[in-house]
Amino acid sequence: MKEVATIVKVTGKIAVVQIEKHAECDSCKACAFRNGKSTVKLKAFNEVGAVEGDRVIVQAEKDNRLLASFVVYIIPVLTAAAGVLIGAFCLKQEIWMAVLCLAGLAVGFAAVFCFDKIFAKTRGFGMEVIQILKKADTENKICSEEDNNGKGI
């Protein structure tokens, strides 16, 4: 997914971008335009050196969806299961199985939180700025890409 956005703030290599809602966004339920919002602000990796006020093209990093799903869903389940197994084989009492299951779940969510912080400081799972648009190119680029593939950017 590629979108045209405006740089709102830049801190190091991370930029806060603002994306405007398009007509196509109404049919898609996968993004952040909820509850009648017409704009959304997101953090994006800014390796191209865009500055505040620039119009840019941002792209979602598709390669990390599987890894993100694994981190968010599977790690807490695995740590909770490990807690149950430790309780079942070592302590052999149901109360300890339940307590260690909850403790494992808490450890799993803490791990997800830590992974999120680590990935946020590196490339992360989000957006990246791939091109800075010149003021005259903004409308022409969108129109020419719509003419070429019928979908827009």
Side-chain angles (χ1 to χ4, degrees):
M1 176 187 90
K2 292 182 182 178
E3 286 291 331
V4 175
T6 303
I7 302 288
V8 177
K9 180 181 173 184
V10 176
T11 306
K13 294 226 176 206
I14 303 295
V16 176
V17 297
Q18 180 171 318
I19 300 174
E20 304 288 329
K21 184 176 182 178
H22 300 287
E24 296 87 20
C25 295
D26 290 332
S27 63
C28 174
K29 306 293 183 209
C31 69
F33 293 112
R34 295 185 191 119
N35 303 325
K37 287 184 179 180
S38 62
T39 63
V40 66
K41 291 182 182 178
L42 302 168
K43 290 183 180 179
F45 187 67
N46 180 20
E47 197 170 83
V48 297
V51 295
E52 188 174 322
D54 281 350
R55 299 279 293 167
V56 295
I57 296 179
V58 293
Q59 175 178 330
E61 298 178 76
K62 296 178 184 177
D63 301 327
N64 291 327
R65 285 186 194 166
L66 186 60
L67 178 60
S69 296
F70 178 80
V71 168
V72 169
Y73 296 112
I74 303 301
I75 288 180
V77 170
L78 290 176
T79 55
V84 169
L85 292 175
I86 290 170
F89 291 118
C90 295
L91 303 173
K92 298 182 182 182
Q93 291 182 358
E94 290 181 9
I95 188 71
W96 286 111
M97 289 172 54
V99 169
L100 290 176
C101 176
L102 292 175
L105 193 60
V107 167
F109 285 127
V112 169
F113 180 78
C114 292
F115 281 129
D116 181 53
K117 293 297 180 188
I118 290 168
F119 286 122
K121 289 182 182 175
T122 60
R123 289 186 68 104
F125 295 124
M127 306 289 279
E128 65 180 324
V129 178
I130 60 170
Q131 181 182 356
I132 301 172
L133 298 176
K134 296 177 182 146
K135 292 186 189 298
D137 289 346
T138 304
E139 292 300 321
N140 294 338
K141 181 154 186 76
I142 294 169
C143 293
S144 67
E145 289 194 15
E146 284 177 355
D147 292 340
N148 289 338
N149 62 18
K151 293 182 181 177
I153 292 183

